[in-house]
């Protein structure tokens, strides 16, 4: 499906050792206007993809086949080093695995097999939860904006706040009664002025302010 100019969808990394499930998940995410920035089929690939720092969110299979590192080990790395929201994907979880998983603070769990609408709800809840854990007041945003060499306009500030609340481009467009194309242009300008390449980088920049 063609992408409208200026659109910056959330970029999602899939970590799943079953190619069929991974590609079904990729297709579902594309249908929901998310962007898949990579698929990792094992822990080594997952760590390599994470090191590229392209992902805004990770969907992570708990069980990654044989090996010393499983999905929960990767979740621990994400939580400690990359500070990204992530969702665990699993078909079954014993008590011990569940206890380990909880210690890594995932945003949500998605159970296989999943339906597209269930995937959408899970992502929405995860992103909303993550945004609530990282609240920013209007004064915070104004102080951040005052430090920019090229400050954001009033409308860009409104879109900026919505980005930090993890709304999608489509949701922001509906909220402001604007086209997705127009919101995409605002998002592109915001990223350029703030010197970031994506939404999570933007959130991290504000947190470090």
């Amino acid at each position: 499906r063609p992408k409208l100019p200026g659109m910056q969808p959330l970029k999602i990394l899939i970590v799943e050792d079953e190619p069929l499930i991974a590609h079904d998940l990729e297709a579902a995410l594309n249908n929901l206007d998310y962007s898949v920035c990579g698929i990792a089929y094992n822990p080594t690939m997952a760590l390599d993809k994470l090191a590229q720092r392209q992902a805004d969110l990770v969907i992570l299979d708990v069980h990654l086949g044989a090996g010393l590192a499983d999905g929960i080990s990767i979740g621990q790395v994400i939580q400690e080093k990359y500070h990204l929201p992530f969702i665990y994907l699993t078909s079954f979880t014993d008590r011990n695995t569940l206890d380990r998983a909880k210690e890594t603070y995932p945003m949500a769990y998605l159970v296989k097999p999943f339906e597209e609408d269930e995937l959408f709800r899970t992502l929405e809840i995860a992103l909303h939860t993550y945004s609530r854990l990282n609240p920013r007041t209007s004064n915070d945003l104004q102080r951040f904006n005052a430090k920019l060499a090229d400050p954001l306009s009033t409308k860009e500030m409104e879109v900026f706040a919505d980005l930090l609340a993890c709304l999608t481009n489509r949701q922001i467009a509906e909220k402001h009664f604007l086209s997705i194309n127009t919101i995409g242009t605002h998002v592109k300008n915001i990223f350029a002025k703030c010197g970031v390449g994506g939404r999570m980088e933007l959130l991290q920049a504000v947190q470090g302010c």
Side-chain angles (χ1 to χ4, degrees):
R1 186 175 60 200
K3 187 174 78 171
L4 294 174
M7 284 185 66
Q8 295 285 342
L10 279 170
K11 295 173 289 186
I12 298 178
L13 171 63
I14 298 170
V15 183
E16 166 60 63
D17 64 342
E18 297 185 43
L20 183 60
I21 294 176
H23 289 290
D24 283 347
L25 185 53
E26 179 181 30
L29 289 168
N30 287 334
N31 286 338
L32 295 171
D33 293 326
Y34 292 99
S35 172
V36 175
C37 64
I39 298 176
Y41 300 107
N42 57 57
T44 300
M45 289 181 67
L47 293 173
D48 287 344
K49 294 287 186 183
L50 285 167
Q52 295 173 19
R53 297 184 181 273
Q54 295 179 347
D56 294 317
L57 180 143
V58 183
I59 296 180
L60 178 60
D61 187 17
V62 169
H63 302 282
L64 292 175
L68 296 176
D70 60 3
I72 298 175
S73 299
I74 302 301
Q76 188 70 36
V77 173
I78 295 171
Q79 194 268 334
E80 293 179 350
K81 183 175 181 180
Y82 296 103
H83 311 294
L84 295 173
F86 63 94
I87 296 169
Y88 278 130
L89 180 65
T90 183
S91 54
F92 67 92
T93 303
D94 59 80
R95 183 69 189 185
N96 180 59
T97 301
L98 181 60
D99 287 342
R100 287 181 60 222
K102 288 190 296 185
E103 292 300 315
T104 62
Y105 303 102
M107 290 296 103
Y109 295 85
L110 184 64
V111 179
K112 305 177 196 177
F114 58 85
E115 300 292 335
E116 192 171 291
D117 60 344
E118 182 184 3
L119 172 62
F120 177 75
R121 288 194 301 271
T122 302
L123 285 167
E124 291 291 293
I125 291 171
L127 292 169
H128 179 70
T129 301
Y130 188 73
S131 68
R132 291 294 296 272
L133 291 174
N134 298 276
R136 292 289 146 186
T137 67
S138 177
N139 288 338
D140 289 331
L141 303 188
Q142 292 293 344
R143 283 195 294 270
F144 178 82
N145 193 37
K147 295 181 179 180
L148 297 178
D150 184 8
L152 305 178
S153 68
T154 300
K155 179 55 68 175
E156 286 170 345
M157 282 294 287
E158 293 175 359
V159 175
F160 180 41
D162 291 335
L163 289 172
L164 296 182
C166 292
L167 297 184
T168 66
N169 284 34
R170 188 179 301 281
Q171 290 170 328
I172 297 172
E174 291 173 353
K175 177 180 177 181
H176 294 280
F177 302 100
L178 296 171
S179 70
I180 296 179
N181 218 12
T182 299
I183 294 301
T185 299
H186 283 313
V187 171
K188 185 177 181 180
N189 291 340
I190 290 167
F191 287 171
K193 289 182 178 182
C194 295
V196 300
R199 293 166 181 256
M200 292 306 154
E201 274 189 55
L202 185 66
L203 180 56
Q204 290 163 3
V206 176
Q207 288 174 338
C209 179

